[in-house]
């Protein structure tokens, strides 16, 4: 899009995407393994949690934004990183249970500080995927038996979640938002997302090949809402700078051409992950897959990891998938099955 110039191109977005490409290629050159990823994510989660608590102490803002400069992006980043870290540490036994539980509580509180509902949903989905992944990795049983145990585990997690939610103060921003949503009322945030989705659809129709260009979505969203500004509720809606949907964002800002190129890269990386899981069936591959599932699910409501402040993290994650090349260390050892020794055989008695 920058070379063809089919739209007004903001140079800052070109350099942000270029930085993401460098992160992606650089990470792909490293042979990542389970322990290395766990170490990086441990440091990353520690940094994010400390930031959340410090910001909560010194800031008067209703919602913490973290280093992402966006409350939503900060919470979703925490949820996805925690999913990979928790499942990898639990199944591969890199982290003791005490630290798994303590860090989970700290991440949960940090997401509460952000006031983001999607962060809580991401942690819930990540926890359920972790339970299911551990069952498939550690227990070789029939499908019905695994599903029954998974249902029991999901019920236990639901009870624990309800009990923990009851301890959350009623005046917390996030709790009020959930209660309003459950009552059938759409707040300004939810209505703004719907308006952004509709804007994206109109942009895709009018600019199908190249899109409107990164950074230009705000203009189209503002123009659309201004047409209905005579409605009082529309006057209160925020004018958003992206489509708040990962797929609609790429299609509206980069068109079918950009969507196709990015889609090929994503499919190629996930294909390597699937092949890695087929070869090893270990907790590391399952953790990376669960992180991707949570990302795609939350991507229906936000644009992580393509938000400018998190694009480096997304590029690192895709680089880890790219690095999962076929390695002799992941193949089953040929000498793992030893032949019976001749001296151990007993002659038949006469």
């Amino acid at each position: 899009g920058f070379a063809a110039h089919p739209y007004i191109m903001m140079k800052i977005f070109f350099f942000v995407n270029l930085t993401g490409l460098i992160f992606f290629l650089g990470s792909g050159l490293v042979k990542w393994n389970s322990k290395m990823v766990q170490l990086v994510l441990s440091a990353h989660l520690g940094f994010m949690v400390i930031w959340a608590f410090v910001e909560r102490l010194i800031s008067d803002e209703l919602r913490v934004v973290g280093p992402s400069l966006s409350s939503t992006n900060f919470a979703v980043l925490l949820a996805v990183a925690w999913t990979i870290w928790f499942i990898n540490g639990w199944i591969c036994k890199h982290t003791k249970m005490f630290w798994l539980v303590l860090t989970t509580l700290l991440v949960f509180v940090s997401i509460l500080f952000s006031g983001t509902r999607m962060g809580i949903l991401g942690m819930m989905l990540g926890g359920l995927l972790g339970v299911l992944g551990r069952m498939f990795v550690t227990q070789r049983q029939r499908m019905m038996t695994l599903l029954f145990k998974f249902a029991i585990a999901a019920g236990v997690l639901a009870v624990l979640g309800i009990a923990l939610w009851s301890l959350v103060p009623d005046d917390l921003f996030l709790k009020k938002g959930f209660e309003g949503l459950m009552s059938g009322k759409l707040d300004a945030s939810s209505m703004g997302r719907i308006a952004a989705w509709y804007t994206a659809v109109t942009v895709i129709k009018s600019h199908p090949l190249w899109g409107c260009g990164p950074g230009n979505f705000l203009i189209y969203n503002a123009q659309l809402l201004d047409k209905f500004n005579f409605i009082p509720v529309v006057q209160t809606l925020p004018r958003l700078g992206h489509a708040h949907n990962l797929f609609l964002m790429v299609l509206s800002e980069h068109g079918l051409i950009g969507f196709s190129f990015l889609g090929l890269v994503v499919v190629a990386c996930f294909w390597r992950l699937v092949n890695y899981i087929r070869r090893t069936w270990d907790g590391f591959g399952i953790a990376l897959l669960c992180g991707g599932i949570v990302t795609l699910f939350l991507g229906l409501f936000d644009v992580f990891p393509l938000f400018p402040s998190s694009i480096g993290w997304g590029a690192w994650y895709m680089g880890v998938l790219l690095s999962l090349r076929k390695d002799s260390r992941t193949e089953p050892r040929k000498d793992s099955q030893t032949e019976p020794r001749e001296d151990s055989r007993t002659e038949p008695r006469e």
Side-chain angles (χ1 to χ4, degrees):
F2 183 77
H5 255 292
Y7 41 69
I8 298 176
M9 181 71 184
M10 298 185 183
K11 293 184 179 180
I12 183 63
F13 286 96
F14 171 77
F15 289 112
V16 167
N17 292 329
L18 179 61
T19 302
L21 177 62
I22 295 174
F23 265 77
F24 169 66
L25 296 177
S27 300
L29 295 175
V30 179
K31 288 187 176 181
W32 293 93
N33 57 41
S34 180
K35 291 184 178 179
M36 293 170 60
V37 168
Q38 192 71 3
L39 180 63
V40 170
L41 291 179
S42 296
H44 174 69
L45 286 175
F47 170 74
M48 298 282 276
V49 167
I50 292 173
W51 187 300
F53 277 82
V54 172
E55 183 178 348
R56 181 73 287 163
L57 289 174
I58 65 176
S59 175
D60 295 330
E61 294 294 330
L62 190 60
R63 305 169 63 185
V64 302
V65 297
S68 299
L69 304 179
S70 165
S71 299
T72 301
N73 192 74
F74 176 64
V76 173
L77 175 55
L78 273 173
V80 175
W82 171 84
T83 296
I84 301 173
W85 175 86
F86 180 82
I87 298 175
N88 187 46
W90 184 28
I91 299 180
C92 298
K93 299 181 179 180
H94 292 313
T95 307
K96 294 182 179 180
M97 184 56 64
F98 170 80
W99 293 110
L100 289 175
V101 174
L102 178 61
T103 303
T104 298
L105 291 175
L106 293 175
V107 170
F108 177 76
V109 174
S110 299
I111 292 177
L112 290 181
F113 289 160
S114 73
T116 305
R117 291 167 291 196
M118 289 190 300
I120 300 298
L121 294 177
M123 287 194 71
M124 292 171 59
L125 178 59
L128 290 176
L129 290 174
V131 172
L132 184 61
R134 180 176 172 83
M135 287 181 178
F136 276 106
V137 170
T138 61
Q139 302 179 20
R140 302 294 182 178
Q141 298 176 355
R142 294 182 179 180
M143 179 63 69
M144 293 302 298
T145 303
L146 288 175
L147 291 177
F148 177 73
K149 290 185 177 181
F150 176 72
I152 295 177
V156 173
L157 289 176
V159 172
L160 291 175
I162 294 174
L164 188 61
W165 185 253
S166 64
L167 299 177
V168 176
D170 294 333
D171 59 347
L172 196 68
F173 178 84
L174 187 145
K175 194 167 186 176
K176 287 183 178 179
F178 261 119
E179 291 175 350
L181 188 63
M182 294 300 293
S183 64
K185 299 179 181 179
L186 292 178
D187 55 14
S189 176
S190 300
M191 294 182 66
R193 275 185 170 81
I194 295 175
W197 296 341
Y198 182 71
T199 302
V201 172
T202 59
V203 171
I204 293 170
K205 289 181 179 180
S206 59
H207 302 77
L209 289 180
W210 291 103
C212 67
N216 297 326
F217 184 87
L218 177 63
I219 301 174
Y220 293 86
N221 183 244
Q223 290 177 350
L224 177 67
L225 292 179
D226 288 344
K227 293 180 181 179
F228 302 93
N229 216 24
F230 59 90
I231 304 176
V233 68
V234 175
Q235 299 176 8
T236 63
L237 296 182
R239 275 49 176 172
L240 302 176
H242 54 77
H244 277 271
N245 179 289
L246 198 58
F247 308 97
L248 291 178
M249 174 196 174
V250 178
L251 284 170
S252 62
E253 295 188 7
H254 302 278
L256 289 172
I257 294 177
F259 185 85
S260 299
F261 275 101
L262 181 61
L264 287 175
V265 174
V266 172
V267 170
C269 291
F270 273 96
W271 184 253
R272 288 201 170 187
L273 174 60
V274 171
N275 287 332
Y276 174 85
I277 293 175
R278 291 173 60 185
R279 293 197 310 268
T280 62
W281 199 248
D282 63 356
F284 179 46
I286 296 298
L288 293 174
L289 178 62
C290 292
I293 293 174
V294 174
T295 299
L296 293 177
F297 170 72
L298 297 180
L300 298 175
F301 312 99
D302 197 59
V303 297
F304 173 84
L306 296 184
F307 194 75
S309 59
S310 61
I311 195 169
W313 195 96
W316 169 80
Y317 170 75
M318 298 303 296
V320 172
L321 303 189
L322 181 67
S323 72
L324 299 177
R325 295 175 285 273
K326 191 172 183 180
D327 193 318
S328 59
R329 291 175 298 176
T330 64
E331 299 294 334
R333 295 176 58 183
K334 295 182 179 180
D335 58 348
S336 59
Q337 296 180 353
T338 57
E339 297 293 336
R341 296 181 301 178
E342 293 185 1
D343 57 358
S344 63
R345 297 173 184 172
T346 58
E347 297 294 335
R349 295 182 180 178
E350 293 183 1

